[in-house]
Short mmCIF file of all heavy atoms in Angstrom, two decimals:
data_model
loop_
_atom_site.label_atom_id
_atom_site.label_comp_id
_atom_site.label_asym_id
_atom_site.label_seq_id
_atom_site.Cartn_x
_atom_site.Cartn_y
_atom_site.Cartn_z
N GLN A 235 117.19 138.46 122.71
CA GLN A 235 116.94 139.45 121.60
C GLN A 235 116.74 140.91 122.10
O GLN A 235 116.26 141.07 123.23
CB GLN A 235 115.60 138.95 121.08
CG GLN A 235 115.10 139.73 119.80
CD GLN A 235 114.60 138.83 118.68
OE1 GLN A 235 114.37 137.79 118.80
NE2 GLN A 235 114.55 139.52 117.52
N TYR A 236 117.18 141.83 121.31
CA TYR A 236 117.44 143.11 121.74
C TYR A 236 117.07 144.15 120.61
O TYR A 236 117.73 144.20 119.64
CB TYR A 236 118.82 143.31 122.09
CG TYR A 236 119.31 144.69 122.49
CD1 TYR A 236 119.10 145.29 123.70
CD2 TYR A 236 120.32 145.24 121.69
CE1 TYR A 236 119.58 146.47 124.07
CE2 TYR A 236 120.85 146.58 121.97
CZ TYR A 236 120.56 147.10 123.15
OH TYR A 236 121.15 148.31 123.49
N PRO A 237 115.87 144.74 120.53
CA PRO A 237 114.75 144.69 121.54
C PRO A 237 114.11 143.37 121.31
O PRO A 237 114.26 142.83 120.12
CB PRO A 237 113.84 145.81 121.03
CG PRO A 237 114.70 146.75 120.23
CD PRO A 237 115.73 145.99 119.57
N ASN A 238 113.49 142.82 122.30
CA ASN A 238 113.05 141.47 122.23
C ASN A 238 111.68 141.28 121.39
O ASN A 238 111.12 142.20 120.95
CB ASN A 238 112.95 140.90 123.67
CG ASN A 238 111.84 141.33 124.48
OD1 ASN A 238 110.80 141.91 123.94
ND2 ASN A 238 111.83 140.96 125.70
N ASN A 239 111.29 140.09 121.48
CA ASN A 239 109.98 139.66 120.72
C ASN A 239 108.80 140.45 121.12
O ASN A 239 107.85 140.79 120.30
CB ASN A 239 109.73 138.06 121.17
CG ASN A 239 108.44 137.74 120.55
OD1 ASN A 239 108.19 137.79 119.39
ND2 ASN A 239 107.70 136.96 121.28
N LEU A 240 108.83 141.03 122.26
CA LEU A 240 107.61 141.97 122.78
C LEU A 240 107.97 143.44 122.57
O LEU A 240 107.38 144.26 123.20
CB LEU A 240 107.26 141.61 124.12
CG LEU A 240 106.83 140.11 124.39
CD1 LEU A 240 106.60 139.97 125.85
CD2 LEU A 240 105.68 139.83 123.63
N GLY A 241 109.24 143.70 121.84
CA GLY A 241 109.51 145.14 121.62
C GLY A 241 110.28 145.67 122.82
O GLY A 241 110.79 146.80 122.83
N SER A 242 110.56 144.87 123.93
CA SER A 242 110.98 145.45 125.02
C SER A 242 112.61 145.55 125.03
O SER A 242 113.20 144.66 124.62
CB SER A 242 110.66 144.57 126.15
OG SER A 242 111.22 145.20 127.46
N ILE A 243 113.11 146.67 125.46
CA ILE A 243 114.63 146.87 125.55
C ILE A 243 115.08 146.37 126.94
O ILE A 243 114.77 147.03 127.94
CB ILE A 243 115.03 148.35 125.27
CG1 ILE A 243 114.49 148.69 123.86
CG2 ILE A 243 116.56 148.43 125.38
CD1 ILE A 243 114.56 150.15 123.58
N GLU A 244 115.68 145.26 126.94
CA GLU A 244 116.15 144.58 128.34
C GLU A 244 117.65 144.86 128.48
O GLU A 244 118.37 144.96 127.53
CB GLU A 244 115.78 143.15 128.22
CG GLU A 244 114.33 142.70 128.02
CD GLU A 244 113.51 142.99 129.26
OE1 GLU A 244 113.95 142.65 130.27
OE2 GLU A 244 112.42 143.72 129.08
N ASP A 245 117.92 145.02 129.61
CA ASP A 245 119.44 145.13 130.11
C ASP A 245 120.03 143.71 130.35
O ASP A 245 119.78 143.11 131.40
CB ASP A 245 119.46 145.91 131.41
CG ASP A 245 120.96 146.19 131.66
OD1 ASP A 245 121.86 145.72 131.08
OD2 ASP A 245 121.15 147.09 132.60
N TYR A 246 120.79 143.29 129.36
CA TYR A 246 121.34 141.85 129.52
C TYR A 246 122.67 141.82 130.14
O TYR A 246 123.36 140.78 130.14
CB TYR A 246 121.46 141.26 128.11
CG TYR A 246 120.15 141.16 127.46
CD1 TYR A 246 119.72 141.84 126.14
CD2 TYR A 246 119.06 140.27 127.97
CE1 TYR A 246 118.54 141.63 125.60
CE2 TYR A 246 117.85 140.17 127.36
CZ TYR A 246 117.64 140.81 126.12
OH TYR A 246 116.42 140.75 125.56
N ARG A 247 123.41 142.92 130.60
CA ARG A 247 124.64 142.88 130.93
C ARG A 247 124.99 141.96 132.02
O ARG A 247 125.90 141.18 131.99
CB ARG A 247 125.05 144.36 131.32
CG ARG A 247 125.20 145.27 130.19
CD ARG A 247 125.57 146.75 130.40
NE ARG A 247 124.39 147.26 131.33
CZ ARG A 247 124.29 148.45 131.70
NH1 ARG A 247 125.32 149.31 131.43
NH2 ARG A 247 123.23 149.00 132.36
N ASP A 248 124.12 141.83 133.03
CA ASP A 248 124.43 140.93 134.13
C ASP A 248 124.30 139.56 133.64
O ASP A 248 125.05 138.64 133.97
CB ASP A 248 123.25 141.22 135.27
CG ASP A 248 123.35 140.23 136.45
OD1 ASP A 248 124.56 140.03 136.79
OD2 ASP A 248 122.41 139.52 136.60
N PHE A 249 123.21 139.24 132.85
CA PHE A 249 123.04 137.90 132.29
C PHE A 249 124.29 137.57 131.42
O PHE A 249 124.81 136.29 131.55
CB PHE A 249 121.76 137.85 131.43
CG PHE A 249 121.61 136.64 130.69
CD1 PHE A 249 121.26 135.51 131.32
CD2 PHE A 249 121.86 136.51 129.31
CE1 PHE A 249 121.01 134.22 130.67
CE2 PHE A 249 121.66 135.27 128.64
CZ PHE A 249 121.31 134.14 129.26
N ILE A 250 124.87 138.35 130.59
CA ILE A 250 125.94 138.08 129.78
C ILE A 250 127.19 137.69 130.69
O ILE A 250 127.82 136.71 130.41
CB ILE A 250 126.31 139.29 128.90
CG1 ILE A 250 125.31 139.48 127.84
CG2 ILE A 250 127.71 139.03 128.14
CD1 ILE A 250 125.24 140.67 126.93
N SER A 251 127.31 138.51 131.69
CA SER A 251 128.44 138.09 132.66
C SER A 251 128.21 136.73 133.23
O SER A 251 129.17 136.02 133.43
CB SER A 251 128.60 139.03 133.90
OG SER A 251 128.47 140.37 133.47
N ARG A 252 127.06 136.34 133.59
CA ARG A 252 126.78 135.09 134.17
C ARG A 252 127.21 133.95 133.17
O ARG A 252 127.69 132.95 133.60
CB ARG A 252 125.40 134.95 134.73
CG ARG A 252 125.06 135.78 135.85
CD ARG A 252 123.84 135.43 136.57
NE ARG A 252 122.74 135.92 135.88
CZ ARG A 252 121.55 135.16 135.59
NH1 ARG A 252 121.47 133.81 135.72
NH2 ARG A 252 120.48 135.78 134.91
N VAL A 253 126.69 134.20 131.85
CA VAL A 253 127.14 133.15 131.02
C VAL A 253 128.67 133.06 130.68
O VAL A 253 129.20 131.95 130.66
CB VAL A 253 126.50 133.39 129.67
CG1 VAL A 253 126.83 132.31 128.57
CG2 VAL A 253 124.88 133.49 129.87
N HIS A 254 129.30 134.24 130.70
CA HIS A 254 130.77 134.25 130.50
C HIS A 254 131.31 133.63 131.68
O HIS A 254 132.40 133.01 131.66
CB HIS A 254 131.23 135.76 130.33
CG HIS A 254 130.85 136.20 129.00
ND1 HIS A 254 131.04 137.62 128.74
CD2 HIS A 254 130.47 135.69 127.88
CE1 HIS A 254 130.78 137.82 127.37
NE2 HIS A 254 130.38 136.63 126.95
N ASN A 255 130.98 133.73 132.84
CA ASN A 255 131.56 133.18 134.09
C ASN A 255 131.55 131.67 134.09
O ASN A 255 132.45 130.97 134.71
CB ASN A 255 130.79 133.62 135.24
CG ASN A 255 131.24 135.12 135.59
OD1 ASN A 255 132.13 135.69 135.11
ND2 ASN A 255 130.23 135.67 136.50
N VAL A 256 130.62 131.07 133.37
CA VAL A 256 130.82 129.60 133.18
C VAL A 256 131.51 129.18 131.98
O VAL A 256 131.30 128.00 131.47
CB VAL A 256 129.31 128.89 133.38
CG1 VAL A 256 128.75 129.27 134.75
CG2 VAL A 256 128.35 129.39 132.27
N GLY A 257 132.00 130.05 131.15
CA GLY A 257 132.70 129.65 129.84
C GLY A 257 131.88 129.70 128.69
O GLY A 257 132.35 129.16 127.71
N GLY A 258 130.66 130.19 128.83
CA GLY A 258 129.78 130.13 127.64
C GLY A 258 129.80 131.48 126.88
O GLY A 258 130.39 132.44 127.15
N TYR A 259 129.08 131.46 125.87
CA TYR A 259 128.98 132.76 124.95
C TYR A 259 127.60 133.11 124.76
O TYR A 259 126.63 132.38 124.78
CB TYR A 259 129.73 132.42 123.66
CG TYR A 259 131.06 132.10 123.64
CD1 TYR A 259 131.54 130.61 123.29
CD2 TYR A 259 132.13 132.88 123.94
CE1 TYR A 259 132.85 130.29 123.42
CE2 TYR A 259 133.49 132.61 123.92
CZ TYR A 259 133.82 131.34 123.67
OH TYR A 259 135.16 130.88 123.62
N VAL A 260 127.55 134.46 124.42
CA VAL A 260 126.09 134.93 124.29
C VAL A 260 125.90 135.50 122.78
O VAL A 260 126.74 136.47 122.44
CB VAL A 260 125.77 136.04 125.34
CG1 VAL A 260 124.32 136.52 125.15
CG2 VAL A 260 125.88 135.44 126.67
N ALA A 261 124.84 135.31 122.23
CA ALA A 261 124.40 135.87 120.94
C ALA A 261 123.26 136.79 121.20
O ALA A 261 122.35 136.43 121.98
CB ALA A 261 124.16 134.86 119.85
N MET A 262 123.18 137.98 120.45
CA MET A 262 121.98 138.83 120.57
C MET A 262 121.50 138.95 119.28
O MET A 262 122.13 139.24 118.27
CB MET A 262 122.54 140.19 121.02
CG MET A 262 122.39 140.41 122.46
SD MET A 262 122.64 142.31 122.66
CE MET A 262 122.91 142.38 124.41
N ALA A 263 120.22 138.59 119.19
CA ALA A 263 119.50 138.84 117.95
C ALA A 263 119.05 140.24 118.09
O ALA A 263 118.50 140.74 119.08
CB ALA A 263 118.20 137.98 117.74
N THR A 264 119.23 141.11 116.97
CA THR A 264 118.97 142.56 117.07
C THR A 264 118.51 143.19 115.84
O THR A 264 118.37 142.50 114.83
CB THR A 264 120.28 143.14 117.73
OG1 THR A 264 119.99 144.45 117.92
CG2 THR A 264 121.44 143.10 116.77
N ASP A 265 118.36 144.47 115.85
CA ASP A 265 117.72 145.08 114.74
C ASP A 265 118.71 146.41 114.34
O ASP A 265 118.89 147.29 115.20
CB ASP A 265 116.31 145.59 115.24
CG ASP A 265 115.61 146.36 114.17
OD1 ASP A 265 116.07 147.52 113.77
OD2 ASP A 265 114.51 146.13 113.80
N LEU A 266 119.07 146.42 113.14
CA LEU A 266 120.05 147.56 112.74
C LEU A 266 119.53 148.99 113.03
O LEU A 266 120.30 149.83 113.29
CB LEU A 266 120.54 147.29 111.29
CG LEU A 266 121.32 146.01 111.02
CD1 LEU A 266 121.70 145.93 109.58
CD2 LEU A 266 122.55 145.88 111.88
N LEU A 267 118.16 149.03 112.62
CA LEU A 267 117.59 150.46 112.64
C LEU A 267 117.68 150.93 114.17
O LEU A 267 118.07 152.04 114.52
CB LEU A 267 116.36 150.56 112.17
CG LEU A 267 115.74 151.94 111.97
CD1 LEU A 267 116.54 152.69 110.96
CD2 LEU A 267 114.32 151.92 111.45
N ALA A 268 117.20 149.96 115.18
CA ALA A 268 117.16 150.31 116.53
C ALA A 268 118.60 150.62 117.00
O ALA A 268 118.82 151.51 117.73
CB ALA A 268 116.72 149.01 117.20
N LEU A 269 119.68 149.94 116.37
CA LEU A 269 121.06 150.18 116.92
C LEU A 269 121.49 151.49 116.57
O LEU A 269 122.62 151.97 117.11
CB LEU A 269 121.88 148.98 116.35
CG LEU A 269 121.64 147.57 117.04
CD1 LEU A 269 122.66 146.60 116.42
CD2 LEU A 269 121.61 147.63 118.42
N THR A 270 120.87 152.17 115.65
CA THR A 270 121.36 153.73 115.38
C THR A 270 121.09 154.40 116.71
O THR A 270 121.78 155.42 116.92
CB THR A 270 120.68 154.29 114.20
OG1 THR A 270 119.25 154.34 114.49
CG2 THR A 270 121.02 153.47 113.01
N LEU A 271 120.25 154.00 117.61
CA LEU A 271 119.95 154.77 118.83
C LEU A 271 120.30 154.02 120.11
O LEU A 271 120.42 154.61 121.05
CB LEU A 271 118.34 155.04 118.85
CG LEU A 271 117.69 155.67 117.70
CD1 LEU A 271 116.17 155.80 117.94
CD2 LEU A 271 118.32 157.15 117.47
N LEU A 272 120.43 152.65 119.95
CA LEU A 272 120.76 151.79 121.14
C LEU A 272 122.19 151.52 121.30
O LEU A 272 122.90 151.26 120.32
CB LEU A 272 119.91 150.60 121.14
CG LEU A 272 118.40 150.72 121.08
CD1 LEU A 272 117.70 149.24 121.10
CD2 LEU A 272 117.85 151.57 122.16
N THR A 273 122.54 151.39 122.49
CA THR A 273 123.97 150.82 122.74
C THR A 273 124.16 149.54 122.12
O THR A 273 123.33 148.56 122.22
CB THR A 273 124.23 150.63 124.35
OG1 THR A 273 123.78 151.75 124.97
CG2 THR A 273 125.61 150.29 124.57
N PRO A 274 125.27 149.44 121.30
CA PRO A 274 125.40 148.16 120.48
C PRO A 274 125.76 146.89 121.26
O PRO A 274 126.31 146.99 122.38
CB PRO A 274 126.45 148.54 119.51
CG PRO A 274 127.17 149.64 120.08
CD PRO A 274 126.25 150.44 121.04
N PRO A 275 125.20 145.74 120.73
CA PRO A 275 125.55 144.53 121.62
C PRO A 275 127.01 144.37 122.05
O PRO A 275 127.23 143.91 123.19
CB PRO A 275 125.12 143.42 120.60
CG PRO A 275 124.10 144.08 119.69
CD PRO A 275 124.50 145.60 119.57
N GLY A 276 128.00 144.68 121.10
CA GLY A 276 129.45 144.59 121.41
C GLY A 276 129.69 145.31 122.66
O GLY A 276 130.44 144.89 123.64
N GLU A 277 129.15 146.45 122.89
CA GLU A 277 129.46 147.28 124.06
C GLU A 277 128.70 146.80 125.34
O GLU A 277 129.07 147.02 126.54
CB GLU A 277 128.94 148.74 123.93
CG GLU A 277 129.84 149.43 122.82
CD GLU A 277 129.36 150.88 122.61
OE1 GLU A 277 128.71 151.50 123.42
OE2 GLU A 277 129.71 151.40 121.39
N LEU A 278 127.68 145.90 125.09
CA LEU A 278 127.09 145.34 126.35
C LEU A 278 127.72 144.02 126.64
O LEU A 278 127.21 143.37 127.57
CB LEU A 278 125.52 145.08 125.88
CG LEU A 278 124.76 146.32 125.66
CD1 LEU A 278 123.24 145.98 125.07
CD2 LEU A 278 124.70 147.31 126.91
N GLY A 279 128.66 143.67 125.93
CA GLY A 279 129.37 142.38 126.25
C GLY A 279 129.02 141.12 125.36
O GLY A 279 129.56 140.07 125.52
N ALA A 280 128.13 141.25 124.40
CA ALA A 280 127.71 140.05 123.59
C ALA A 280 128.90 139.61 122.71
O ALA A 280 129.80 140.37 122.35
CB ALA A 280 126.50 140.56 122.71
N ASP A 281 128.94 138.31 122.40
CA ASP A 281 130.03 137.79 121.65
C ASP A 281 129.60 137.81 120.15
O ASP A 281 130.40 137.75 119.29
CB ASP A 281 130.23 136.27 122.04
CG ASP A 281 130.70 136.15 123.55
OD1 ASP A 281 131.80 136.52 123.90
OD2 ASP A 281 129.78 135.88 124.33
N VAL A 282 128.38 137.71 119.86
CA VAL A 282 127.84 137.58 118.51
C VAL A 282 126.59 138.52 118.31
O VAL A 282 125.73 138.53 119.38
CB VAL A 282 127.53 136.19 118.19
CG1 VAL A 282 126.78 136.02 116.82
CG2 VAL A 282 128.93 135.45 117.75
N ALA A 283 126.36 139.05 117.29
CA ALA A 283 125.11 139.76 116.96
C ALA A 283 124.56 139.19 115.66
O ALA A 283 125.35 139.07 114.74
CB ALA A 283 125.22 141.33 116.88
N VAL A 284 123.22 138.90 115.70
CA VAL A 284 122.59 138.44 114.45
C VAL A 284 121.42 139.18 114.11
O VAL A 284 120.87 139.74 115.16
CB VAL A 284 122.43 136.93 114.46
CG1 VAL A 284 123.49 136.09 114.56
CG2 VAL A 284 121.38 136.52 115.57
N GLY A 285 120.91 139.10 112.91
CA GLY A 285 119.53 139.85 112.67
C GLY A 285 119.30 139.87 111.21
O GLY A 285 120.16 139.24 110.44
N ASN A 286 118.32 140.63 110.84
CA ASN A 286 117.75 140.68 109.46
C ASN A 286 118.07 142.08 109.01
O ASN A 286 117.59 143.14 109.72
CB ASN A 286 116.33 140.31 109.40
CG ASN A 286 115.86 140.26 108.02
OD1 ASN A 286 116.69 140.50 106.98
ND2 ASN A 286 114.48 139.94 107.88
N ALA A 287 118.72 142.42 107.87
CA ALA A 287 118.95 143.73 107.39
C ALA A 287 117.88 144.24 106.46
O ALA A 287 118.09 145.23 105.76
CB ALA A 287 120.33 143.76 106.73
N GLN A 288 116.79 143.55 106.52
CA GLN A 288 115.67 143.70 105.50
C GLN A 288 115.10 145.19 105.63
O GLN A 288 114.89 145.74 104.46
CB GLN A 288 114.43 142.72 105.82
CG GLN A 288 113.25 142.89 104.96
CD GLN A 288 112.29 143.90 105.65
OE1 GLN A 288 112.04 143.73 106.84
NE2 GLN A 288 111.49 144.70 104.88
N ARG A 289 115.09 145.65 106.74
CA ARG A 289 114.42 147.05 106.79
C ARG A 289 115.30 148.10 106.31
O ARG A 289 114.83 149.30 106.28
CB ARG A 289 113.82 147.25 108.21
CG ARG A 289 114.87 147.61 109.28
CD ARG A 289 114.31 147.69 110.64
NE ARG A 289 113.21 148.57 110.83
CZ ARG A 289 112.43 148.65 111.96
NH1 ARG A 289 112.84 147.98 112.92
NH2 ARG A 289 111.49 149.48 112.10
N PHE A 290 116.46 147.66 105.96
CA PHE A 290 117.44 148.73 105.23
C PHE A 290 117.13 148.59 103.72
O PHE A 290 118.06 148.17 102.85
CB PHE A 290 118.89 148.39 105.53
CG PHE A 290 119.38 149.14 106.81
CD1 PHE A 290 118.48 149.41 107.79
CD2 PHE A 290 120.59 149.42 106.93
CE1 PHE A 290 118.79 150.07 109.00
CE2 PHE A 290 121.14 150.03 108.19
CZ PHE A 290 120.16 150.37 109.21
N GLY A 291 115.89 148.93 103.33
CA GLY A 291 115.57 149.04 101.84
C GLY A 291 115.40 147.74 101.15
O GLY A 291 115.70 147.77 99.87
N VAL A 292 115.01 146.73 101.68
CA VAL A 292 114.71 145.46 100.92
C VAL A 292 113.39 145.07 101.14
O VAL A 292 112.72 144.97 102.23
CB VAL A 292 115.71 144.40 101.45
CG1 VAL A 292 115.35 142.92 100.60
CG2 VAL A 292 117.16 144.69 101.30
N PRO A 293 112.51 144.86 99.91
CA PRO A 293 111.10 144.67 100.14
C PRO A 293 110.78 143.28 100.90
O PRO A 293 111.61 142.40 101.01
CB PRO A 293 110.59 144.36 98.62
CG PRO A 293 111.86 144.91 97.82
CD PRO A 293 113.13 144.90 98.62
N LEU A 294 109.60 143.39 101.52
CA LEU A 294 109.12 142.23 102.33
C LEU A 294 109.07 141.07 101.63
O LEU A 294 109.60 139.89 101.99
CB LEU A 294 107.85 142.48 103.03
CG LEU A 294 107.72 143.50 104.13
CD1 LEU A 294 106.33 144.10 104.33
CD2 LEU A 294 108.28 142.96 105.38
N GLY A 295 108.58 140.90 100.52
CA GLY A 295 108.46 139.79 99.50
C GLY A 295 107.94 138.64 100.09
O GLY A 295 108.34 137.51 99.77
N TYR A 296 106.90 138.60 101.04
CA TYR A 296 106.44 137.38 101.82
C TYR A 296 107.48 136.61 102.43
O TYR A 296 107.36 135.27 102.46
CB TYR A 296 105.56 136.56 100.75
CG TYR A 296 104.54 135.72 101.35
CD1 TYR A 296 103.81 136.01 102.43
CD2 TYR A 296 104.40 134.32 100.78
CE1 TYR A 296 102.84 135.19 102.82
CE2 TYR A 296 103.44 133.53 101.24
CZ TYR A 296 102.64 133.93 102.34
OH TYR A 296 101.74 133.12 102.89
N GLY A 297 108.58 137.21 102.81
CA GLY A 297 109.53 136.41 103.63
C GLY A 297 110.99 136.58 103.14
O GLY A 297 111.87 135.95 103.60
N GLY A 298 110.90 137.08 101.84
CA GLY A 298 112.46 137.13 101.38
C GLY A 298 112.49 137.30 99.91
O GLY A 298 111.52 137.15 99.19
#
Side-chain angles (χ1 to χ4, degrees):
Q235 186 135 11
Y236 173 74
N238 73 11
N239 178 45
L240 303 177
S242 181
I243 301 166
E244 301 284 314
D245 186 352
Y246 297 118
R247 286 173 296 183
D248 176 53
F249 173 72
I250 292 172
S251 316
R252 286 197 283 128
V253 180
H254 285 168
N255 286 344
V256 296
Y259 299 110
V260 178
M262 261 193 199
T264 188
D265 177 302
L266 292 180
L267 193 64
L269 293 183
T270 63
L271 304 178
L272 301 184
T273 311
E277 290 176 25
L278 298 173
D281 301 284
V282 161
V284 296
N286 184 0
Q288 176 267 321
R289 74 189 307 176
F290 275 27
V292 181
L294 287 164
Y296 199 43

